[in-house]
Amino acid sequence: MPNSDHLYEDTLPLDEAVKQTNRSRILKALLDQDTTVAFDDPLENDMILNMGPSHPATHGVLRLLLRLDGETIIAVVPELGYLHRGFEKIAENGSYHEFITHTDRLDYLQPVANNVGYILAVEKLLGVEAPPRAQYIRLIAAELARISSHLVALGTMAMDVGAMTILLWAFREREKLHDIFDLLTGARFTTSYTRIGGVARNMTDETVAAIKAFLEQFPNRLDECERLINRNRIFFDRCRGVGVIDAETAIAMGLTGPNLRGSGVPMDLRRDNPYLVYDQLDFDVITESEGDSLARYYVRLREMRESVKLVHQALEKLPSGPFRAHEPKKVLPPKERIYTRMEELIMDFMIINKGVNPPVGECYHAIESSKGELGFYIVSKGEGRPWRLKIRSPSFCNLQALPILLKGHLVADVVAIIGSIDPVMGEADK
Amino acid sequence: MDEMLEKVVVKLREDFADAILDVSEFRGDITVLVRRDKIAEITKFLRDLPDCPFNLIEDVCGVDRLERKERFEVVYHLFSLEKKVRICLKVRVDEAELRVPTVTGVFPGANWHERETYDMYGIVFDGHPDMRRVYMPEDYEHFPMRKDFPLLGIPGSIKLPRQ
């Protein structure tokens, strides 16, 4: 075997190299936290446990370093970045339209909601408004995405504490939703559905019928899940009183979404800062006061029913009309006109090659995604691509509270708490 | 401009006359440019406003304004849960002195946001309890979101593990 050592620049002695590596610094951060432990026998009590990044209960590639006293957690350091793909850098190097596909990969459990959140921020920057039909279609798609995301949260959380059946039932329902997304957007998973000033394609009667059929049976399926969990002693014992966070701490740590509402704070951007047509529809903001894992689970469960209510209303009110605004220079013209008319062909060429060129300025727009507040901050210098695009991802902020939630609990509770926080690493790591 | 926000801006101008450099509005978003060394005080003031407390920190991020004399900006988004309004604060940072006072003393939730800003732009937050990188490896030398960092990355900048 030829010696391949010369391929590596590293010429430090091994112990020096270990000192400088990632691991030792993370350990240092963990040990530096001011924790007081009463040691009977330090060799027996103080222990550092590495969990992840490749662990089924961390829902992706979250890595936790736990400092344990026996089985009790005394300090936690979460490590992120194992799925960091540099979306913000990519956004700066592509046009506004090109970034839509990347938003699918942010929170991959609800791609449509990310599409909607991003495009609303771009439209705010551009000063374009989508026609009513497009707004309703977006709302329906975003609410269905919320259901599909909450179903995963429900299923995986139940599975983490030992109830395997719920996972299979939740994914069976999700499969039906994927079929609906297939009809609506042309793709089951990576939807890339929205466009500046509207959506990629119209909602057909077939899709409407499919959504109605789904909504017809879904509450009953949800009842079945509830019957299985809500009388399950093991599930309750493992979730009640676990991972408690009070309202004040939750706000201070910047929690949003079901995790904040689980602590009794009625913050919901759909009502507080209405976008799309949420102000014309009737729905309740779900809150629970306990702030533990069980409360967060209840919030999600009840929110799914609210989403069903919202989609019902939206389908009833769904107006007819165009599904994309008519705004030359900003909104892509319809395909059939591009093929037959010179003007539209030129417009399409200009938008694709030169971009939409929003005015110089910067704005922030946030939507209530299933995980919390999903915001986009865009700085424009009047070019075809954003100068800076910042993604305010809810999972990132929610994970920040993990050390507070975990402190003082047993190792076995870690999975129940992560499951109830419902992080998606694609979004947390960007 | 929202009535409530107008009052807040007036109050800010009264209490921090020399620290408020500029107030601008674009598409309904209010951005207040403040002096760098006063940012922690101003966020504390806004958090404790009696009639409109901005109690939720939504985001802290850096912006690289390559062509400006003061190259970097740090942008803070605050939200008031009571009045449902949003305000944006901004500070400018010179490349020669990449330091900003931390706001983690006011909002503990700013912790990871500031770490991310440090990770991506190299802006150090004075007084931050845990100023480490958040996404990139600890021993990484570059700051990837700066405009002079190439999109394709720098070959060899992340060392391969020994085999």
Side-chain angles (χ1 to χ4, degrees), chain A residues 3-248:
Chain A
N3 189 346
S4 61
D5 267 0
H6 65 280
L7 286 176
Y8 302 97
E9 295 166 18
D10 196 347
T11 52
L12 289 168
L14 190 64
D15 54 338
E16 195 61 29
V18 167
K19 251 187 221 165
Q20 288 187 10
T21 50
N22 206 354
R23 182 180 297 172
S24 65
R25 289 199 204 173
I26 299 165
L27 276 178
K28 199 161 162 284
L30 184 68
L31 295 170
D32 277 353
Q33 294 195 342
D34 55 338
T35 44
T36 46
V37 204
F39 293 114
D40 292 321
D41 178 359
L43 283 178
E44 220 177 85
N45 286 326
D46 205 16
M47 174 185 166
I48 285 165
L49 181 71
N50 178 56
M51 185 172 174
S54 195
H55 187 288
T58 57
H59 297 202
V61 284
L62 173 65
R63 180 182 176 205
L64 297 175
L65 269 101
L66 309 163
R67 188 173 169 205
L68 306 172
D69 172 17
E71 265 207 85
T72 314
I73 296 160
I74 49 180
V76 187
V77 172
E79 276 296 308
L80 283 82
Y82 290 92
L83 203 60
H84 180 61
R85 293 150 291 175
F87 278 150
E88 291 171 359
K89 189 84 179 171
I90 294 171
E92 287 174 8
N93 290 278
S95 75
Y96 286 93
H97 270 121
E98 277 173 331
F99 192 64
I100 297 170
T101 47
H102 292 293
T103 58
D104 292 341
R105 279 91 177 157
L106 276 174
D107 179 353
Y108 38 71
L109 298 179
Q110 45 151 14
V112 183
N114 299 330
N115 298 159
V116 171
Y118 167 68
I119 220 70
L120 285 172
V122 177
E123 284 178 1
K124 182 176 175 184
L125 185 69
L126 269 170
V128 174
E129 199 177 343
R133 185 175 172 86
Q135 304 222 17
Y136 272 91
I137 294 176
R138 285 174 182 182
L139 187 144
I140 292 166
E143 287 306 318
L144 290 176
R146 186 187 313 278
I147 295 176
S148 78
S149 167
H150 279 352
L151 278 171
V152 176
L154 170 74
T156 50
M157 184 187 171
M159 184 183 66
D160 286 345
V161 296
M164 189 72 189
T165 316
I166 301 294
L167 179 84
L168 301 174
W169 287 6
F171 271 77
R172 181 192 61 200
E173 295 309 306
R174 225 173 106 81
E175 190 61 31
K176 294 172 191 164
L177 280 169
H178 282 326
D179 289 343
I180 291 173
F181 286 136
D182 194 6
L183 280 173
L184 180 65
T185 71
R188 286 160 55 82
F189 218 64
T190 48
T191 50
S192 305
Y193 184 49
T194 52
R195 296 287 182 275
I196 293 170
V199 289
R201 54 197 239 181
N202 206 349
M203 187 185 257
T204 56
D205 293 341
E206 191 193 357
T207 316
V208 174
I211 296 172
K212 278 187 176 152
F214 172 78
L215 294 181
E216 194 70 33
Q217 51 90 47
F218 181 65
N220 295 333
R221 300 284 94 82
L222 214 52
D223 287 341
E224 279 175 10
C225 291
E226 259 188 278
R227 274 205 294 278
L228 201 60
I229 299 184
N230 286 9
R231 279 158 51 187
N232 187 329
R233 180 75 191 279
I234 300 172
F235 182 79
F236 268 51
D237 283 354
R238 290 207 55 184
C239 294
R240 187 182 281 150
V242 165
V244 182
I245 186 162
D246 59 85
E248 208 174 303

Side-chain angles (χ1 to χ4, degrees), chain A residues 95-98 100 119 122-123 126 128 131 138 192-201 322-339 343-356:
Chain A
S95 75
Y96 286 93
H97 270 121
E98 277 173 331
I100 297 170
I119 220 70
V122 177
E123 284 178 1
L126 269 170
V128 174
R138 285 174 182 182
S192 305
Y193 184 49
T194 52
R195 296 287 182 275
I196 293 170
V199 289
R201 54 197 239 181
F323 61 96
R324 214 182 285 168
H326 179 70
E327 285 253 10
K329 292 191 178 177
K330 288 172 184 165
V331 179
L332 288 169
K335 248 312 173 287
E336 62 274 9
R337 291 175 78 90
I338 297 171
Y339 291 141
E343 201 124 304
E344 268 87 351
L345 178 67
I346 294 170
M347 211 52 83
D348 184 75
F349 180 83
M350 291 305 279
I351 290 177
I352 296 296
N353 286 285
K354 302 276 180 200
V356 287

Side-chain angles (χ1 to χ4, degrees), chain A residues 184-422:
Chain A
L184 180 65
T185 71
R188 286 160 55 82
F189 218 64
T190 48
T191 50
S192 305
Y193 184 49
T194 52
R195 296 287 182 275
I196 293 170
V199 289
R201 54 197 239 181
N202 206 349
M203 187 185 257
T204 56
D205 293 341
E206 191 193 357
T207 316
V208 174
I211 296 172
K212 278 187 176 152
F214 172 78
L215 294 181
E216 194 70 33
Q217 51 90 47
F218 181 65
N220 295 333
R221 300 284 94 82
L222 214 52
D223 287 341
E224 279 175 10
C225 291
E226 259 188 278
R227 274 205 294 278
L228 201 60
I229 299 184
N230 286 9
R231 279 158 51 187
N232 187 329
R233 180 75 191 279
I234 300 172
F235 182 79
F236 268 51
D237 283 354
R238 290 207 55 184
C239 294
R240 187 182 281 150
V242 165
V244 182
I245 186 162
D246 59 85
E248 208 174 303
T249 322
I251 294 169
M253 292 309 291
L255 286 191
T256 46
N259 300 321
L260 185 62
R261 291 193 285 275
S263 296
V265 184
M267 183 220 182
D268 191 326
L269 290 175
R270 288 176 292 174
R271 193 198 55 187
D272 296 347
N273 239 332
Y275 53 96
L276 293 178
V277 283
Y278 279 109
D279 47 353
Q280 296 167 26
L281 305 176
D282 171 47
F283 67 102
D284 294 327
V285 176
I286 307 292
T287 53
E288 294 278 340
S289 53
E290 285 80 16
D292 56 0
S293 284
L294 196 62
R296 293 189 279 272
Y297 151 76
Y298 274 136
V299 169
R300 293 207 176 84
L301 201 64
R302 288 169 57 197
E303 264 184 24
M304 279 195 262
R305 295 188 191 280
E306 290 303 314
S307 292
V308 171
K309 226 165 89 182
L310 273 167
V311 178
H312 264 308
Q313 293 174 46
L315 280 178
E316 228 160 74
K317 288 188 179 179
L318 185 67
S320 54
F323 61 96
R324 214 182 285 168
H326 179 70
E327 285 253 10
K329 292 191 178 177
K330 288 172 184 165
V331 179
L332 288 169
K335 248 312 173 287
E336 62 274 9
R337 291 175 78 90
I338 297 171
Y339 291 141
T340 50
R341 282 158 195 260
M342 199 60 210
E343 201 124 304
E344 268 87 351
L345 178 67
I346 294 170
M347 211 52 83
D348 184 75
F349 180 83
M350 291 305 279
I351 290 177
I352 296 296
N353 286 285
K354 302 276 180 200
V356 287
N357 302 342
V360 180
E362 47 214 62
C363 75
Y364 178 84
H365 190 273
I367 65 157
E368 184 75 30
S369 90
S370 70
K371 309 286 183 298
E373 179 183 333
L374 173 69
F376 290 89
Y377 174 66
I378 308 176
V379 178
S380 160
K381 279 181 60 173
E383 295 168 340
R385 50 195 195 184
W387 180 256
R388 167 82 166 113
L389 188 142
K390 168 79 206 279
I391 305 157
R392 190 265 185 216
S393 56
S395 296
F396 181 72
C397 307
N398 291 344
L399 277 175
Q400 207 175 164
L402 209 52
I404 294 175
L405 291 167
L406 288 177
K407 209 167 180 179
H409 285 294
L410 301 179
V411 181
D413 294 333
V414 175
V415 290
I417 292 171
I418 297 177
S420 74
I421 286 279
D422 187 26

Side-chain angles (χ1 to χ4, degrees), chain A residues 22 79-80 89 92 124-126 251-252 359 362-364 373 377 379 387-388 390 392 400 428 430, chain B residues 27 29 55 58-59 62 64-65 77 90 109 111-112 116 121 132 134-135 144-147 149:
Chain A
N22 206 354
E79 276 296 308
L80 283 82
K89 189 84 179 171
E92 287 174 8
K124 182 176 175 184
L125 185 69
L126 269 170
I251 294 169
E362 47 214 62
C363 75
Y364 178 84
E373 179 183 333
Y377 174 66
V379 178
W387 180 256
R388 167 82 166 113
K390 168 79 206 279
R392 190 265 185 216
Q400 207 175 164
K430 292 186 277 206
Chain B
R27 306 271 189 235
D29 287 7
N55 40 8
E58 289 183 318
D59 199 15
D64 184 352
R65 297 277 194 173
H77 290 280
K90 197 190 269 182
N111 189 322
W112 282 18
E116 189 194 342
Y121 290 97
R132 289 184 298 130
V134 67
Y135 289 141
M145 280 299 285
R146 286 190 181 180
K147 288 283 177 185
F149 186 88

